[in-house]
């Protein structure tokens, strides 16, 4: 049994991914809407047919920035590329229909890096060493 992935984002959109290479065209099409949203990639089931409780949250749709955050185990934090300086302010990405601000330290990758990280994650099931992982989520006052 191959691992199939499910992508979900704002307002209940769902898209099944049978091949890793299908993720980039999907993310590019979401990005081109120019509405920053959180896209969640998760395996439908693992190779043994068991439900999976890990995946990847991606910030997509901002013209120059994005984020990647794996959830489940291991807890690695947000993706950070040393060549990308922090954005000058928070960026709000729609998460399950709610605009959610992300701190500049959490958005230190470009949209193209988001796509590459997603492709690598779907192909291997692991985060890549091409970027640093380490900025853990900040606590926000509501």
């Amino acid at each position: 049994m191959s691992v199939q992935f499910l992508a979900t984002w704002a307002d209940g959109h769902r898209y099944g991914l049978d091949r890793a290479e299908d993720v980039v065209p999907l993310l590019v099409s979401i990005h081109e809407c120019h509405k920053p949203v959180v896209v969640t990639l998760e395996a439908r089931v693992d190779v043994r047919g068991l439900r999976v409780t890990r995946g990847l949250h991606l910030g997509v749709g901002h013209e120059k920035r994005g984020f990647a955050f794996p959830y489940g185990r291991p807890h690695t934090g947000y993706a950070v590329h040393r060549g990308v300086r922090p954005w000058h302010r928070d960026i709000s990405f729609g998460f399950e229909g709610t605009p959610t601000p992300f701190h500049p330290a959490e958005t230190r990758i470009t949209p193209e890096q988001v796509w590459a990280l997603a492709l690598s994650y779907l192909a291997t099931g692991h985060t890549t060493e091409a970027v640093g992982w380490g900025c853990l989520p900040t606590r926000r006052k509501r």
Side-chain angles (χ1 to χ4, degrees):
M1 169 187 292
S2 65
V3 178
Q4 296 177 337
F5 287 85
L6 178 65
T8 56
W9 64 100
D11 300 327
H13 288 85
R14 301 167 62 84
Y15 189 83
L17 298 161
D18 294 324
R19 302 174 316 151
E21 56 268 19
D22 294 340
V23 73
V24 174
L26 173 66
L27 294 177
V28 169
S29 70
I30 295 169
H31 177 76
E32 288 175 347
C33 291
H34 304 290
K35 293 174 80 175
V37 297
V38 176
V39 176
T40 300
L41 298 177
E42 61 186 343
R44 293 181 186 165
V45 294
D46 73 5
V47 293
R48 298 166 300 196
L50 302 174
R51 180 143 167 72
V52 174
T53 58
R54 64 179 170 78
L56 194 62
H57 291 303
L58 304 168
V60 179
H62 186 272
E63 67 181 79
K64 297 186 180 191
R65 291 304 170 98
F67 71 82
F69 181 77
Y71 64 89
R73 297 203 184 269
H75 296 292
T76 58
Y78 286 86
V80 175
H81 189 275
R82 285 191 286 175
V84 177
R85 299 191 49 82
W87 194 246
H88 59 278
R89 61 186 163 104
D90 287 0
I91 300 171
S92 289
F93 290 87
F95 183 62
E96 296 179 355
T98 303
T100 304
F102 288 81
H103 188 271
E106 297 167 341
T107 58
R108 297 245 341 244
I109 58 176
T110 66
E112 295 79 13
Q113 290 167 331
V114 170
W115 306 329
L117 292 172
L119 180 59
S120 175
Y121 182 80
L122 292 188
T124 66
H126 303 288
T127 56
T128 176
E129 298 300 320
V131 296
W133 299 90
C135 178
L136 293 175
T138 56
R139 293 189 180 257
R140 293 178 176 78
K141 293 181 181 178
R142 299 273 177 191

